[in-house]
Amino acid sequence: MRLVFRTSDVVQVFRLGNTSNDKIEADKKRKIVQTYTFSRKQFELIAEGKNEGMKHFFSNADSNCLDCPFNEFGKCYTHKFNQYVGFVSMLKSIASDFGSFDNIPVIDRSIHRQIVKMSEGTYVRFGTYGEPSLHPLQLIKDMIHVAINHTGYTHQWPKKPELGSMFMASTHTAHEEKVARNNGFRSFIATSEPIAGAVNCPASKEAGYKSHCSKCGLCSGIDGKGNKSVYILLH
C-alpha cells in the first residue's frame, strides 16, 4: 500500500510493505511503514525520461534533502545502486499513476486518515529517503500515536525544535550532540570514534548486529525509548 501527496516542491511518499534490509526489520513477512521525500526535480527527471543516471538523480535532491551535509553524491548512505533502482522504480510508478507533478494531490483529511490507519500497530521508519521534517507535524504525531514504535532522524534540528520529542538530531561530534541536547534533542551520532555517554547502535556492525531498528526503537526522540544519545561508527 502506498499513499502520495505533494507540497510546494516535494513529493511525499508513505509506503506499507516489506523490506529486504535485515538491519531495519529481520522478519521478511512483517510489513512496516517507511516514508520518503523526493524533490520535484527528481520526480520530473523520471517522469519525463530525462534522468542521466545515479549521480544526476541524487544531485537533484535539493528541496527534499535541504542543507544536509551529506547531500553530495556518494556521501549519503542512500547513494547506493540498489536504493537508487528502488527510488527510480517508485517514482516511475507514481508518474504512471498521476502523470505530472501538479496532478499529485495535496494532503487532505482523507489522505491523512489513510496514512495514520496504515501506521496502526506497526513500526514506522521516518525518512527512509529525504528529510522527514518536511512531513506535516500533525501527521507525524498521529502516526506515532498509533504505531508500535518508530525511528526518525533530522539534520534540521537547529530549525525544528518541535521535533525533538519524536526524532533524533543527526549529529557527528560530541560537541554537536551537546548543542542538540541543549536544544531538546537526543542525537544519532555518525562518528569515526565512540562517544562517551552515548549508546552504540545495537543494529551496527561494531555492535555485532545485536538487534534491528524495528525491534530496538531507541532512535525515537526525547519522548521515545531511552534517555541517551546513540552513536554509530562510520565505515
Side-chain angles (χ1 to χ4, degrees):
M1 182 180 184
R2 183 183 68 206
L3 290 161
V4 183
F5 63 87
R6 64 176 169 87
T7 49
S8 59
D9 51 3
V10 174
V11 178
Q12 305 210 18
V13 184
F14 298 75
R15 178 183 177 272
L16 175 65
N18 308 106
T19 178
S20 60
N21 190 335
D22 291 339
K23 290 181 284 186
I24 303 302
E25 172 55 66
D27 184 352
K28 299 302 180 188
K29 295 182 180 179
R30 185 187 180 200
K31 292 183 178 181
I32 64 173
V33 172
Q34 299 190 81
T35 81
Y36 310 75
T37 58
F38 298 97
S39 71
R40 177 172 185 161
K41 289 179 181 178
Q42 287 177 310
F43 173 79
E44 291 180 342
L45 283 176
I46 302 305
E48 297 170 9
K50 295 179 179 179
N51 185 44
E52 297 175 1
M54 227 173 121
K55 184 175 182 180
H56 190 212
F57 178 79
F58 286 120
S59 295
N60 279 276
D62 51 6
S63 58
N64 61 317
C65 292
L66 305 174
D67 56 359
C68 172
F70 294 109
N71 192 19
E72 182 179 327
F73 182 64
K75 285 189 174 183
C76 180
Y77 74 95
T78 66
H79 294 178
K80 296 182 175 67
F81 183 72
N82 285 346
Q83 279 97 323
Y84 164 69
V85 170
F87 298 156
V88 169
S89 176
M90 180 182 289
L91 289 176
K92 282 183 177 179
S93 178
I94 294 169
S96 177
D97 288 343
F98 298 106
S100 69
F101 179 85
D102 290 333
N103 286 338
I104 298 172
V106 296
I107 191 167
D108 57 18
R109 290 181 181 179
S110 175
I111 293 173
H112 184 115
R113 284 196 300 265
Q114 290 180 75
I115 293 172
V116 173
K117 181 69 176 176
M118 75 156 61
S119 304
E120 285 184 4
T122 192
Y123 160 67
V124 177
R125 184 188 184 200
F126 289 99
T128 297
Y129 179 65
E131 249 301 335
S133 64
L134 294 168
H135 299 324
L137 181 60
Q138 192 59 52
L139 178 61
I140 295 171
K141 291 179 177 179
D142 291 346
M143 292 172 71
I144 290 172
H145 181 70
V146 300
I148 290 177
N149 59 1
H150 76 280
T151 55
Y153 317 85
T154 178
H155 275 104
Q156 298 302 304
W157 57 267
K159 305 170 186 175
K160 297 274 189 173
E162 66 273 17
L163 293 176
S165 62
M166 299 170 283
F167 288 176
M168 307 293 277
S170 292
T171 60
H172 307 284
T173 65
H175 173 70
E176 284 187 353
E177 191 277 340
K178 183 178 180 180
V179 173
R181 189 169 287 274
N182 288 339
N183 282 6
F185 281 85
R186 289 193 296 126
S187 287
F188 184 78
I189 316 156
T191 177
S192 58
E193 57 185 12
I195 301 294
V199 177
N200 187 207
C201 170
S204 67
K205 180 179 179 180
E206 63 270 14
Y209 305 115
K210 289 185 295 188
S211 188
H212 49 270
C213 296
S214 68
K215 179 181 179 181
C216 173
L218 280 176
C219 294
S220 47
I222 291 291
D223 289 349
K225 183 179 177 182
N227 298 312
K228 295 183 177 182
S229 290
V230 180
Y231 76 86
I232 190 170
L233 297 181
L234 297 170
H235 297 287

